[in-house]
Amino acid sequence: MKWLWRTVAILIIGGAGVWLWLTLNPSPQKVIRGQLHRLAAQVSFTTAESDIARLGKIAGITRFFTPEVDVKLAFRGRSEQGVITHEFIQAGTASLRENAPGGLQVEFLDLNVTMSPDRRAATVELTLKATTPGDNQFNVQEMKFDLGRTNDQWLIYRVETVRTLK
Amino acid sequence: MLPTYRDNQISVVNHLAYRWAEPRRGDIVAIRFSGPSILLMKRVVGLPGETVAFRDGRLLVNGVELEEPYVKNRCFWNRASETLDPGEYFVVGDNRVMPIEDHDFGGATRDRIMGKVLL
């Protein structure tokens, strides 16, 4: 029976080692998914937020983006295309809050992460779901984010809407 | 999809329906976004290779008006004719009371069609 206990102990220690390694060295895909979920949380807000929290979230939104971001957006017959800066992103976030006085819950669903061959860039296709409290309807938009790795950080440098139906 | 389906109604999707067969005109299908978490429900009205257009609310397929008894409210949509690619299906909802720009419809590639809505 001694061999059995040894085998079990080796398996447990080996499993714990693998778990620890993966926890300390997450894959780029996992890091990117986490980054985008944090972005969704940063954009979301409730009416219960304090002014300090509100200002902090608006100011902090820029840490997810490169200084200049290529955008190509089309929604309900309107389209915008160009390069935007951090100031524009902050202004847009503040404006979004003004237009949704009851709060907003943003979620990114079904994230498909594709890494570039050199693993320094990634493209993420996802479904954005936006819900306002008290409303049983929600808005859905398919999106594509391009991210690049800079100083061990994954930053968004391009944002596009994707047409689900053409 | 009013009046065929109501908002917040629970529906059943047969994911095997198109494993050995292709979607047919009149089928109500579930269409995915980037994944299966949220699905659109639409009716197939145009098949690959066909030309589809809206003229004063009437749906024209290859230039011939399609009978649509499931559409209860007349609309006045206009959309130029377009020919569907191979593997592309034209889908639209039954509820067409809203302005055309507020309605999600158009060509859906085959890989986006997840299954047939049964209920």
Side-chain angles (χ1 to χ4, degrees):
Chain A
M1 288 299 281
K2 208 171 179 179
W3 64 269
L4 179 65
W5 290 115
R6 273 190 190 153
T7 308
V8 169
I10 288 168
L11 286 174
I12 290 171
I13 292 167
V18 169
W19 174 81
L20 190 63
W21 171 258
L22 291 176
T23 304
L24 296 176
N25 300 284
S27 68
Q29 289 92 333
K30 191 174 179 186
V31 173
I32 289 167
R33 283 194 176 91
Q35 178 91 339
L36 290 172
H37 288 309
R38 281 190 291 280
L39 170 61
Q42 188 90 14
V43 177
S44 302
F45 63 95
T46 65
T47 51
E49 268 180 10
S50 67
D51 286 348
I52 291 173
R54 179 173 59 84
L55 291 172
K57 282 178 96 172
I58 293 172
I61 195 86
T62 56
R63 70 188 164 96
F64 296 95
F65 299 92
T66 54
E68 292 189 332
V69 183
D70 247 336
V71 293
K72 195 175 172 186
L73 308 175
F75 186 69
R76 297 263 184 250
R78 294 175 58 188
S79 61
E80 298 281 341
Q81 188 170 353
V83 176
I84 58 171
T85 60
H86 280 181
E87 289 73 29
F88 190 93
I89 293 169
Q90 286 175 330
T93 308
S95 167
L96 184 69
R97 285 170 171 259
E98 284 168 19
N99 288 311
L104 183 70
Q105 178 69 38
V106 174
E107 295 170 79
F108 292 150
L109 307 170
D110 298 323
L111 288 81
N112 302 315
V113 183
T114 308
M115 302 298 300
S116 67
D118 64 1
R119 299 179 76 77
R120 298 201 58 81
T123 298
V124 185
E125 289 179 331
L126 56 84
T127 304
L128 183 155
K129 178 183 175 190
T131 315
T132 48
D135 193 351
N136 61 2
Q137 302 287 322
F138 52 82
N139 285 304
V140 181
Q141 176 63 51
E142 208 170 328
M143 309 278 300
K144 190 167 95 172
F145 289 77
D146 286 314
L147 296 93
R149 191 170 180 174
T150 316
N151 301 329
D152 278 345
Q153 264 196 312
W154 286 97
L155 298 177
I156 299 164
Y157 64 88
R158 187 178 298 129
V159 179
E160 283 178 50
T161 48
V162 174
R163 287 180 67 187
T164 304
L165 301 176
K166 293 175 179 151
Chain B
M1 281 295 292
L2 283 168
T4 314
Y5 291 92
R6 296 187 312 277
D7 284 348
N8 302 318
Q9 178 182 335
I10 292 173
S11 301
V12 176
V13 177
N14 178 3
H15 287 259
L16 299 175
Y18 302 129
R19 185 149 291 195
W20 298 283
E22 293 301 312
R24 295 189 304 178
R25 196 184 327 277
D27 286 357
I28 296 173
V29 296
I31 298 164
R32 68 164 177 80
F33 287 85
S34 66
S37 295
I38 299 176
L39 300 173
L40 278 172
M41 275 167 63
K42 298 287 171 188
R43 190 182 293 275
V44 175
V45 294
L47 303 176
E50 291 183 336
T51 299
V52 181
F54 274 101
R55 194 171 301 152
D56 292 330
R58 292 186 171 83
L59 178 63
L60 305 178
V61 177
N62 292 334
V64 178
E65 185 179 345
L66 185 71
E67 282 287 319
E68 294 190 286
Y70 39 80
V71 177
K72 303 298 181 198
N73 299 299
R74 175 88 196 278
C75 69
F76 295 91
W77 293 0
N78 283 294
R79 177 164 156 148
S81 67
E82 64 177 286
T83 303
L84 298 166
D85 291 335
E88 188 181 23
Y89 294 80
F90 198 91
V91 297
V92 62
D94 293 350
N95 182 16
R96 301 177 196 168
V97 294
M98 69 287 283
I100 191 166
E101 60 272 15
D102 290 344
H103 190 86
D104 289 320
F105 70 102
T109 51
R110 178 68 182 82
D111 64 305
R112 284 189 179 272
I113 298 176
M114 302 289 289
K116 183 176 181 178
V117 179
L118 297 178
L119 298 169

PDB file of all heavy atoms in Angstrom, chain A residues 77-93:
ATOM      1  N   GLY A  77     -27.272  53.051 -37.793  1.00  0.00           N
ATOM      2  CA  GLY A  77     -27.225  54.015 -38.885  1.00  0.00           C
ATOM      3  C   GLY A  77     -26.244  55.150 -38.689  1.00  0.00           C
ATOM      4  O   GLY A  77     -26.039  55.951 -39.595  1.00  0.00           O
ATOM      5  N   ARG A  78     -25.629  55.251 -37.490  1.00  0.00           N
ATOM      6  CA  ARG A  78     -24.633  56.304 -37.262  1.00  0.00           C
ATOM      7  C   ARG A  78     -23.246  55.677 -37.264  1.00  0.00           C
ATOM      8  O   ARG A  78     -23.070  54.551 -36.810  1.00  0.00           O
ATOM      9  CB  ARG A  78     -24.889  56.981 -35.915  1.00  0.00           C
ATOM     10  CG  ARG A  78     -26.190  57.748 -35.878  1.00  0.00           C
ATOM     11  CD  ARG A  78     -26.450  58.301 -34.495  1.00  0.00           C
ATOM     12  NE  ARG A  78     -25.363  59.168 -34.048  1.00  0.00           N
ATOM     13  CZ  ARG A  78     -25.284  59.652 -32.812  1.00  0.00           C
ATOM     14  NH1 ARG A  78     -26.205  59.375 -31.928  1.00  0.00           N
ATOM     15  NH2 ARG A  78     -24.281  60.447 -32.463  1.00  0.00           N
ATOM     16  N   SER A  79     -22.278  56.414 -37.754  1.00  0.00           N
ATOM     17  CA  SER A  79     -20.925  55.857 -37.745  1.00  0.00           C
ATOM     18  C   SER A  79     -19.896  56.929 -37.399  1.00  0.00           C
ATOM     19  O   SER A  79     -20.092  58.118 -37.674  1.00  0.00           O
ATOM     20  CB  SER A  79     -20.607  55.223 -39.098  1.00  0.00           C
ATOM     21  OG  SER A  79     -20.675  56.187 -40.100  1.00  0.00           O
ATOM     22  N   GLU A  80     -18.842  56.492 -36.748  1.00  0.00           N
ATOM     23  CA  GLU A  80     -17.735  57.369 -36.356  1.00  0.00           C
ATOM     24  C   GLU A  80     -16.444  56.634 -36.681  1.00  0.00           C
ATOM     25  O   GLU A  80     -16.340  55.424 -36.448  1.00  0.00           O
ATOM     26  CB  GLU A  80     -17.758  57.642 -34.842  1.00  0.00           C
ATOM     27  CG  GLU A  80     -18.987  58.365 -34.332  1.00  0.00           C
ATOM     28  CD  GLU A  80     -18.943  59.854 -34.592  1.00  0.00           C
ATOM     29  OE1 GLU A  80     -17.837  60.369 -34.827  1.00  0.00           O
ATOM     30  OE2 GLU A  80     -20.012  60.475 -34.582  1.00  0.00           O
ATOM     31  N   GLN A  81     -15.491  57.380 -37.193  1.00  0.00           N
ATOM     32  CA  GLN A  81     -14.214  56.756 -37.504  1.00  0.00           C
ATOM     33  C   GLN A  81     -13.117  57.776 -37.279  1.00  0.00           C
ATOM     34  O   GLN A  81     -13.282  58.954 -37.623  1.00  0.00           O
ATOM     35  CB  GLN A  81     -14.207  56.290 -38.964  1.00  0.00           C
ATOM     36  CG  GLN A  81     -12.999  55.466 -39.315  1.00  0.00           C
ATOM     37  CD  GLN A  81     -13.129  54.817 -40.688  1.00  0.00           C
ATOM     38  OE1 GLN A  81     -14.183  54.885 -41.308  1.00  0.00           O
ATOM     39  NE2 GLN A  81     -12.075  54.193 -41.153  1.00  0.00           N
ATOM     40  N   GLY A  82     -12.004  57.361 -36.703  1.00  0.00           N
ATOM     41  CA  GLY A  82     -10.906  58.288 -36.496  1.00  0.00           C
ATOM     42  C   GLY A  82     -10.008  57.846 -35.361  1.00  0.00           C
ATOM     43  O   GLY A  82     -10.076  56.707 -34.906  1.00  0.00           O
ATOM     44  N   VAL A  83      -9.178  58.795 -34.920  1.00  0.00           N
ATOM     45  CA  VAL A  83      -8.257  58.513 -33.822  1.00  0.00           C
ATOM     46  C   VAL A  83      -8.670  59.361 -32.633  1.00  0.00           C
ATOM     47  O   VAL A  83      -8.921  60.562 -32.779  1.00  0.00           O
ATOM     48  CB  VAL A  83      -6.798  58.859 -34.241  1.00  0.00           C
ATOM     49  CG1 VAL A  83      -5.842  58.668 -33.077  1.00  0.00           C
ATOM     50  CG2 VAL A  83      -6.381  57.996 -35.430  1.00  0.00           C
ATOM     51  N   ILE A  84      -8.786  58.731 -31.471  1.00  0.00           N
ATOM     52  CA  ILE A  84      -9.185  59.485 -30.276  1.00  0.00           C
ATOM     53  C   ILE A  84      -8.083  59.409 -29.217  1.00  0.00           C
ATOM     54  O   ILE A  84      -7.289  58.468 -29.201  1.00  0.00           O
ATOM     55  CB  ILE A  84     -10.533  58.987 -29.695  1.00  0.00           C
ATOM     56  CG1 ILE A  84     -10.455  57.505 -29.333  1.00  0.00           C
ATOM     57  CG2 ILE A  84     -11.664  59.246 -30.662  1.00  0.00           C
ATOM     58  CD1 ILE A  84     -11.661  57.012 -28.553  1.00  0.00           C
ATOM     59  N   THR A  85      -8.065  60.400 -28.361  1.00  0.00           N
ATOM     60  CA  THR A  85      -7.038  60.493 -27.318  1.00  0.00           C
ATOM     61  C   THR A  85      -7.643  60.140 -25.960  1.00  0.00           C
ATOM     62  O   THR A  85      -8.852  59.951 -25.831  1.00  0.00           O
ATOM     63  CB  THR A  85      -6.502  61.930 -27.251  1.00  0.00           C
ATOM     64  OG1 THR A  85      -7.610  62.787 -26.937  1.00  0.00           O
ATOM     65  CG2 THR A  85      -5.884  62.367 -28.570  1.00  0.00           C
ATOM     66  N   HIS A  86      -6.783  60.103 -24.940  1.00  0.00           N
ATOM     67  CA  HIS A  86      -7.254  59.819 -23.581  1.00  0.00           C
ATOM     68  C   HIS A  86      -8.291  60.841 -23.114  1.00  0.00           C
ATOM     69  O   HIS A  86      -9.265  60.479 -22.460  1.00  0.00           O
ATOM     70  CB  HIS A  86      -6.064  59.813 -22.621  1.00  0.00           C
ATOM     71  CG  HIS A  86      -5.303  58.525 -22.663  1.00  0.00           C
ATOM     72  ND1 HIS A  86      -4.215  58.275 -21.874  1.00  0.00           N
ATOM     73  CD2 HIS A  86      -5.489  57.398 -23.399  1.00  0.00           C
ATOM     74  CE1 HIS A  86      -3.760  57.055 -22.117  1.00  0.00           C
ATOM     75  NE2 HIS A  86      -4.506  56.518 -23.049  1.00  0.00           N
ATOM     76  N   GLU A  87      -8.071  62.090 -23.477  1.00  0.00           N
ATOM     77  CA  GLU A  87      -9.012  63.143 -23.047  1.00  0.00           C
ATOM     78  C   GLU A  87     -10.396  62.875 -23.640  1.00  0.00           C
ATOM     79  O   GLU A  87     -11.419  63.031 -22.970  1.00  0.00           O
ATOM     80  CB  GLU A  87      -8.524  64.532 -23.498  1.00  0.00           C
ATOM     81  CG  GLU A  87      -7.304  65.056 -22.762  1.00  0.00           C
ATOM     82  CD  GLU A  87      -6.021  64.347 -23.164  1.00  0.00           C
ATOM     83  OE1 GLU A  87      -5.930  63.877 -24.317  1.00  0.00           O
ATOM     84  OE2 GLU A  87      -5.112  64.243 -22.316  1.00  0.00           O
ATOM     85  N   PHE A  88     -10.410  62.468 -24.883  1.00  0.00           N
ATOM     86  CA  PHE A  88     -11.684  62.180 -25.547  1.00  0.00           C
ATOM     87  C   PHE A  88     -12.371  60.985 -24.877  1.00  0.00           C
ATOM     88  O   PHE A  88     -13.592  60.975 -24.685  1.00  0.00           O
ATOM     89  CB  PHE A  88     -11.435  61.892 -27.036  1.00  0.00           C
ATOM     90  CG  PHE A  88     -12.694  61.809 -27.850  1.00  0.00           C
ATOM     91  CD1 PHE A  88     -13.186  62.930 -28.501  1.00  0.00           C
ATOM     92  CD2 PHE A  88     -13.412  60.622 -27.945  1.00  0.00           C
ATOM     93  CE1 PHE A  88     -14.355  62.861 -29.246  1.00  0.00           C
ATOM     94  CE2 PHE A  88     -14.582  60.539 -28.683  1.00  0.00           C
ATOM     95  CZ  PHE A  88     -15.045  61.664 -29.342  1.00  0.00           C
ATOM     96  N   ILE A  89     -11.591  59.982 -24.523  1.00  0.00           N
ATOM     97  CA  ILE A  89     -12.167  58.792 -23.872  1.00  0.00           C
ATOM     98  C   ILE A  89     -12.771  59.180 -22.521  1.00  0.00           C
ATOM     99  O   ILE A  89     -13.875  58.752 -22.171  1.00  0.00           O
ATOM    100  CB  ILE A  89     -11.086  57.691 -23.693  1.00  0.00           C
ATOM    101  CG1 ILE A  89     -10.660  57.162 -25.067  1.00  0.00           C
ATOM    102  CG2 ILE A  89     -11.601  56.551 -22.819  1.00  0.00           C
ATOM    103  CD1 ILE A  89      -9.431  56.291 -25.042  1.00  0.00           C
ATOM    104  N   GLN A  90     -12.074  60.019 -21.771  1.00  0.00           N
ATOM    105  CA  GLN A  90     -12.607  60.458 -20.474  1.00  0.00           C
ATOM    106  C   GLN A  90     -13.879  61.281 -20.657  1.00  0.00           C
ATOM    107  O   GLN A  90     -14.859  61.091 -19.926  1.00  0.00           O
ATOM    108  CB  GLN A  90     -11.548  61.285 -19.732  1.00  0.00           C
ATOM    109  CG  GLN A  90     -10.432  60.422 -19.179  1.00  0.00           C
ATOM    110  CD  GLN A  90      -9.325  61.241 -18.551  1.00  0.00           C
ATOM    111  OE1 GLN A  90      -9.079  62.385 -18.965  1.00  0.00           O
ATOM    112  NE2 GLN A  90      -8.657  60.660 -17.573  1.00  0.00           N
ATOM    113  N   ALA A  91     -13.859  62.168 -21.651  1.00  0.00           N
ATOM    114  CA  ALA A  91     -15.049  62.989 -21.914  1.00  0.00           C
ATOM    115  C   ALA A  91     -16.224  62.106 -22.337  1.00  0.00           C
ATOM    116  O   ALA A  91     -17.367  62.322 -21.913  1.00  0.00           O
ATOM    117  CB  ALA A  91     -14.739  64.018 -22.995  1.00  0.00           C
ATOM    118  N   GLY A  92     -15.927  61.097 -23.154  1.00  0.00           N
ATOM    119  CA  GLY A  92     -16.979  60.179 -23.593  1.00  0.00           C
ATOM    120  C   GLY A  92     -17.560  59.389 -22.440  1.00  0.00           C
ATOM    121  O   GLY A  92     -18.770  59.158 -22.362  1.00  0.00           O
ATOM    122  N   THR A  93     -16.698  58.976 -21.510  1.00  0.00           N
ATOM    123  CA  THR A  93     -17.153  58.216 -20.339  1.00  0.00           C
ATOM    124  C   THR A  93     -18.051  59.094 -19.462  1.00  0.00           C
ATOM    125  O   THR A  93     -19.099  58.642 -18.974  1.00  0.00           O
ATOM    126  CB  THR A  93     -15.936  57.723 -19.526  1.00  0.00           C
ATOM    127  OG1 THR A  93     -15.050  57.051 -20.406  1.00  0.00           O
ATOM    128  CG2 THR A  93     -16.371  56.779 -18.428  1.00  0.00           C
TER     129      THR A  93
END
